[in-house]
């Protein structure tokens, strides 16, 4: 799932266009004429003040060197920019044309400085965050995205839904900045990890199941039930948790179907393929043909926020701070 507001993207492109245009214009002027940005400011001040004395005071230098700088500019350009009057100064036609371009360059520079400052403080730019298809059902994950949008409206938040193993790969490749994943977590060096949420596991059964009248069951009640399981290559943590708990309860669960995604498991349960053990947040899917029963064995599923230590996103610290505020 990609979330790229058109207005945010347009503003970002416009700002970058202004920045590139400023650089191109400034470099051209500097190389061609040996001018610096201060020369543009001098002429802008003179055009607005209409007086060499007031303009010099405004930019903070004495009038004689200020007047010399203006004359040097005219000499380099090869055209008179200012008409000197007994009581002030006015721009010539060439001066008006030059000032119009100079003002555009100054505005672009101010925009570039503002964008760089906002990106550097984490209030602009782009942040790419991944989540699992089950994690997005957890209210705290949703609350994090909402809080971050409200606190940092200038940051383009790009969201990516994948399985946990795929999210880890995207983080390794630098294609994501952070991700909410289910265990197991990567164990090699180079990672930052934050325990984010823990939720109970529940049993999903068809509405007409023999246990449908119950509110709580134990694993031993499921001894003779076929289980809808998950591929270990994509959900090793959840699969191992369920199998280990069943074996501690004295039986090996009987596998009826194997899927990669939990929503698919729920649809198979509704179709009578067996029972499934899922994170409690999945009960929010609101399926009328399913019942979700509490597990007396108290199994839990974890969600963690992870990111690479070498992640360079300036917006990531703000996002991590918001996740720590969500309860």
């Amino acid at each position: 799932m990609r979330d790229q507001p058109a207005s945010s993207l347009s503003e970002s492109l416009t700002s970058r266009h202004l920045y590139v245009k400023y650089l191109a214009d400034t470099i051209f002027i500097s190389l061609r004429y040996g001018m610096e940005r201060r020369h543009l400011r001098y002429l802008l001040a003179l055009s607005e003040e209409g007086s060499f004395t007031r303009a010099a005071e405004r930019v903070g230098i004495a009038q004689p060197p200020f007047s010399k700088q203006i004359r040097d500019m005219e000499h380099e350009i090869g055209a008179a920019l200012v008409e000197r009057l007994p009581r002030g100064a006015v721009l010539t036609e060439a001066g008006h044309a030059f000032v119009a371009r100079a003002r555009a360059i100054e505005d672009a520079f101010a925009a570039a400085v503002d964008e760089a400052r906002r990106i550097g403080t984490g209030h602009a730019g782009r942040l790419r965050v991944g989540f699992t298809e089950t994690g997005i059902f957890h209210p705290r994950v949703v609350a994090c995205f909402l809080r971050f949008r409200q606190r940092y409206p200038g940051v383009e938040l790009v969201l990516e839904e994948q399985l946990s193993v795929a999210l880890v790969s995207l983080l390794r490749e630098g294609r994501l900045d952070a991700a909410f994943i289910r265990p197991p977590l990567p164990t090699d060096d180079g990672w930052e990890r934050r325990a984010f949420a823990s939720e109970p596991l529940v049993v999903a059964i068809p509405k007409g199941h023999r246990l449908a009248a119950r509110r709580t069951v134990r694993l031993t009640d499921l001894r003779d039930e076929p289980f809808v399981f998950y591929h270990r290559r994509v959900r090793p943590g959840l699969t191992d948790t369920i199998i280990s708990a069943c074996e501690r309860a004295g039986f090996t669960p009987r596998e009826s179907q194997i899927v990669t995604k939990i929503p698919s498991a729920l649809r198979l349960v509704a179709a009578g393929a067996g029972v499934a053990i899922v994170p409690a947040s999945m009960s929010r899917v609101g399926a009328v043909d399913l019942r979700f029963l509490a597990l007396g064995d108290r199994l839990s599923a974890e969600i963690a926020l992870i990111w690479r230590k070498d992640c360079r996103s300036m917006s990531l610290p703000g996002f991590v701070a918001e996740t720590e505020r969500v309860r």
Side-chain angles (χ1 to χ4, degrees):
M1 181 171 76
R2 295 282 181 181
D3 189 349
Q4 300 182 7
S7 59
S8 175
L9 184 59
S10 175
E11 291 172 2
S12 177
L13 291 175
T14 299
S15 179
R16 290 168 189 163
H17 172 75
L18 288 174
Y19 176 60
V20 170
K21 186 177 187 305
Y22 161 75
L23 286 178
D25 289 348
T26 303
I27 291 172
F28 174 78
I29 291 173
S30 298
L31 293 177
R32 177 78 180 272
Y33 300 104
M35 295 183 194
E36 300 177 8
R37 179 173 167 241
R38 60 188 173 87
H39 296 113
L40 304 183
R41 291 190 288 110
Y42 291 170
L43 189 59
L44 287 173
L46 182 57
S47 69
E48 294 169 4
E49 296 294 341
S51 162
F52 278 88
T53 301
R54 291 194 301 271
E57 291 175 352
R58 174 170 158 178
V59 299
I61 65 173
Q63 181 178 335
F66 179 88
S67 298
K68 182 179 185 304
Q69 295 286 347
I70 298 298
R71 284 195 302 271
D72 290 345
M73 286 179 64
E74 292 175 312
H75 177 73
E76 287 191 46
I77 293 171
L81 302 176
V82 181
E83 181 180 350
R84 281 90 174 155
L85 303 175
R87 292 175 176 261
V90 295
L91 295 177
T92 64
E93 183 178 358
H96 279 293
F98 189 91
V99 163
R101 291 295 185 95
R103 185 168 286 114
I105 291 174
E106 280 294 292
D107 291 344
F109 180 81
V113 169
D114 179 66
E115 182 181 24
R117 181 180 294 115
R118 290 168 59 236
I119 291 175
T121 58
H123 287 78
R126 172 185 291 187
L127 183 68
R128 304 160 301 172
V129 180
F131 61 91
T132 67
E133 90 281 3
T134 59
I136 196 61
F137 283 95
H138 198 288
R140 286 186 63 194
V141 173
V142 176
C144 285
F145 294 148
L146 179 60
R147 285 178 61 97
F148 184 76
R149 289 183 186 282
Q150 293 172 339
R151 180 71 177 83
Y152 298 91
V155 177
E156 179 188 359
L157 184 61
V158 181
L159 303 178
E160 177 85 29
E161 178 188 5
Q162 291 286 349
L163 298 170
S164 289
V165 290
L167 292 173
V168 172
S169 295
L170 292 173
L171 288 166
R172 289 187 193 278
E173 296 166 6
R175 294 164 60 188
L176 285 179
D177 300 310
F180 292 101
I181 71 167
R182 302 278 189 183
L185 307 181
T187 57
D188 52 306
D189 292 337
W191 294 93
E192 291 285 355
R193 310 166 185 84
R194 295 287 188 279
F196 178 72
S198 179
E199 58 180 324
L201 291 175
V202 298
V203 181
I205 62 174
K207 187 176 181 181
H209 193 273
R210 64 181 178 84
L211 298 173
R214 305 264 297 269
R215 300 182 68 177
T216 302
V217 295
R218 298 193 66 84
L219 286 173
T220 52
D221 298 322
L222 307 175
R223 178 187 302 271
D224 299 323
E225 298 291 334
F227 278 69
V228 178
F229 266 118
Y230 316 103
H231 279 289
R232 291 199 76 263
R233 61 182 172 81
V234 296
R235 295 190 185 280
L238 182 56
T239 300
D240 288 347
T241 295
I242 296 170
I243 292 176
S244 296
C246 290
E247 290 176 343
R248 288 195 301 272
F251 71 98
T252 299
R254 180 162 55 92
E255 174 188 296
S256 70
Q257 298 285 334
I258 299 179
V259 296
T260 57
K261 294 190 175 183
I262 291 181
S264 299
L266 294 179
R267 299 320 306 153
L268 288 175
V269 169
V275 301
I277 296 180
V278 301
S281 56
M282 293 304 297
S283 63
R284 293 181 172 85
V285 298
V288 296
D289 46 2
L290 291 174
R291 288 291 312 280
F292 294 91
L293 310 179
L295 258 179
D297 302 79
R298 298 183 181 277
L299 301 182
S300 62
E302 314 301 320
I303 300 177
L305 178 68
I306 67 170
W307 65 94
R308 295 286 300 174
K309 290 180 179 178
D310 57 4
C311 178
R312 296 180 179 179
S313 170
M314 299 290 189
S315 302
L316 181 58
F319 183 78
V320 174
E322 292 306 315
T323 65
E324 293 173 346
R325 295 187 182 102
V326 172
R327 293 292 181 265

